[in-house]
Amino acid sequence: MSPLTELLQQRERLSASELLAQIREGLEPSPARSGAGAAIHQLLLDYFRLDEQASASSFARAFKRHPQTAQTLLRLGQEQGLTELGALMQSVMAGQPRPSGAFQQALKEQTSQQPGAQAFLQGFAGVAFASADSEAEIELSLAWQALEDCLLDHLQPHAELIAFDWGPTLRAQRQREAAVQAALARHNALQLLQELLQHPQPEVLAQPSEYDIEHEGAAPQQVAIAVRHLAPLEARPPALAAQPAAAAQLLAVYQALNGAALFCTDAQDLWSAGFLLLPAQQWHEAAAEMLDWLLSVDFQEEPEALPSWVRSAIPFGKIPGDASYWLLPVEGPFAGQVLLSNEDVSAEQVRYASFDAFIATLCLQPEQVLGCGGYISYASAGNAHSLYPVGYRSGAG
């Protein structure tokens, strides 16, 4: 199996734009070694140039600069039945944009349903629909993923032929996954957590955002932030063992360690933690809060669409400041796996294949967890910039 074929097997888990970003990193700059797949290889290269131009300026300018690529993408969409998108693309390419008005109508309906947000939405509408050009650009950006899916469909049969190798991002991801698996082959999750709790002089390594480095003159050097790990937070409740088999890995940890505040910048303030393993006594309250958020936001219009397995899932962890909970379903298609509630439930995607894999990542590569959502940050000298977690170290090495 080629690396590209392996990557495309993640289509159910990753969006088309995420996959294309990774393909761009690993695609050879010339189609010469792709043989019978050279044509689709060249189309990918051309697509990346068009997409970069669209991101930097507008679809109208991108179509004008890359007319042949735009025509090829238009044909791909039409072959897949994307007639409305095709008509919109044609109108923009002809310099006479004709938006369908679907987004404008949806925004009007949302405005009528949310009176409190009316002023904001009306202000946004005043800018977004100031001209046919701006409205068409918004409609194109919203519909573009459908065209990206068409491009991936076109690529799939040629994946074994395309000259592609893992790019830097994917190589780093695979190395992290291999490190987690190697650690779990030697230690269980509880042992890894107990080792973390004993680390002398633990420090989170933090850095300004790429934007601040590139546009605000922030120094790119990593800064060491002293932290503490605190556990357990509560005694183990007697009813803890009464959980389904899918919770076995979680129970193995909680029977010895009922909650922890990890990566705290203030040992007296648990909410200064980078991650909270919630005591089992708090699961019920956390579940109620999680369900309330999902039903009020993600499933507001169709509460009956909330998957039944969510109601029995265990919300075991939280990043302070984030409304999401890290949860472990105990039944249904994701039983025994780990999801982030406000992002993964509606998308039906999994973050970690098991509770052990999550804990190992939290202990070995905490920035992968602490960095989710951008809620954990630290002040730079003089409070000039926020610093975000990019690594971890301790006196233990």
Side-chain angles (χ1 to χ4, degrees), residues 188-257:
N188 60 37
L190 177 60
Q191 290 170 329
L192 290 173
L193 266 175
Q194 289 172 331
E195 285 184 8
L196 179 72
L197 293 170
Q198 297 302 316
H199 280 177
Q201 301 175 321
E203 295 176 327
V204 169
L205 302 178
Q207 192 176 43
S209 67
E210 289 185 9
Y211 180 89
D212 284 343
I213 294 172
E214 294 176 5
H215 301 284
E216 300 295 332
Q221 287 80 12
Q222 295 181 1
V223 177
I225 309 295
V227 295
R228 294 278 301 277
H229 306 305
L230 308 173
L233 299 183
E234 297 280 355
R236 184 172 70 90
L240 184 59
Q243 295 289 345
Q249 291 183 355
L250 178 146
L251 293 181
V253 168
Y254 270 81
Q255 283 170 351
L257 191 68

Side-chain angles (χ1 to χ4, degrees), residues 12-72:
E12 290 187 2
R13 188 173 66 86
L14 299 176
S15 69
S17 60
E18 289 174 315
L19 284 171
L20 285 166
Q22 295 179 3
I23 290 170
R24 181 174 185 172
E25 279 196 352
L27 191 68
E28 287 197 4
S30 167
R33 294 201 312 118
S34 289
I40 180 61
H41 186 141
Q42 186 60 55
L43 176 58
L44 286 168
L45 294 172
D46 294 340
Y47 163 79
F48 292 137
R49 295 187 188 98
L50 182 149
D51 189 62
E52 183 177 9
Q53 179 69 53
S55 299
S57 54
S58 66
F59 284 102
R61 185 167 296 180
F63 294 163
K64 186 174 182 179
R65 174 170 282 192
H66 305 281
Q68 292 183 335
T69 305
Q71 287 288 351
T72 302

Side-chain angles (χ1 to χ4, degrees), residues 91-392:
S91 71
V92 172
M93 290 161 65
Q96 298 177 328
R98 292 190 297 274
S100 68
F103 177 64
Q104 185 171 176
Q105 180 59 37
L107 193 63
K108 288 179 179 178
E109 292 176 359
Q110 188 175 3
T111 302
S112 65
Q113 295 171 4
Q114 300 183 36
Q118 190 167 5
F120 168 77
L121 293 172
Q122 286 178 343
F124 172 77
V127 176
F129 310 128
S131 68
D133 291 42
S134 58
E135 186 174 354
E137 289 289 327
I138 290 176
E139 288 192 2
L140 277 170
S141 66
L142 293 173
W144 200 242
Q145 182 170 329
L147 196 60
E148 292 176 328
D149 278 321
C150 288
L151 185 58
L152 291 177
D153 288 342
H154 190 55
L155 166 64
Q156 192 101 35
H158 308 282
E160 288 291 320
L161 305 173
I162 303 297
F164 169 88
D165 201 354
W166 305 113
T169 300
L170 282 173
R171 281 199 299 272
Q173 176 185 325
R174 290 166 68 84
Q175 289 169 356
R176 289 194 299 268
E177 291 171 351
V180 164
Q181 293 306 313
L184 288 174
R186 300 188 302 269
H187 307 285
N188 60 37
L190 177 60
Q191 290 170 329
L192 290 173
L193 266 175
Q194 289 172 331
E195 285 184 8
L196 179 72
L197 293 170
Q198 297 302 316
H199 280 177
Q201 301 175 321
E203 295 176 327
V204 169
L205 302 178
Q207 192 176 43
S209 67
E210 289 185 9
Y211 180 89
D212 284 343
I213 294 172
E214 294 176 5
H215 301 284
E216 300 295 332
Q221 287 80 12
Q222 295 181 1
V223 177
I225 309 295
V227 295
R228 294 278 301 277
H229 306 305
L230 308 173
L233 299 183
E234 297 280 355
R236 184 172 70 90
L240 184 59
Q243 295 289 345
Q249 291 183 355
L250 178 146
L251 293 181
V253 168
Y254 270 81
Q255 283 170 351
L257 191 68
N258 186 19
L262 306 174
F263 312 101
C264 298
T265 55
D266 182 349
Q268 306 303 316
D269 180 8
L270 297 186
W271 285 93
S272 76
F275 189 85
L276 290 172
L277 274 175
L278 299 176
Q281 291 92 327
Q282 296 181 18
W283 291 349
H284 180 75
E285 181 181 351
E289 185 175 320
M290 176 187 71
L291 288 171
D292 181 65
W293 176 275
L294 289 172
L295 292 170
S296 300
V297 181
D298 291 11
F299 295 88
Q300 178 185 18
E301 296 183 0
E302 294 183 272
E304 68 280 0
L306 180 71
S308 59
W309 54 264
V310 178
R311 298 183 181 278
S312 59
I314 300 173
F316 65 85
K318 186 176 182 64
I319 293 175
D322 188 1
S324 286
Y325 284 90
W326 293 86
L327 71 154
L328 181 93
V330 296
E331 60 181 341
F334 305 121
Q337 302 178 76
V338 174
L339 295 80
L340 188 57
S341 62
N342 296 356
E343 297 183 27
D344 300 338
V345 170
S346 58
E348 296 186 341
Q349 64 183 17
V350 170
R351 295 282 170 132
Y352 295 93
S354 68
F355 181 77
D356 280 2
F358 172 82
I359 292 297
T361 302
L362 181 63
C363 293
L364 301 174
Q365 305 147 12
E367 69 278 4
Q368 298 301 314
V369 177
L370 272 59
C372 288
Y375 292 96
I376 298 300
S377 65
Y378 312 93
S380 64
N383 293 319
H385 305 285
S386 292
L387 306 174
Y388 299 92
V390 295
Y392 173 78

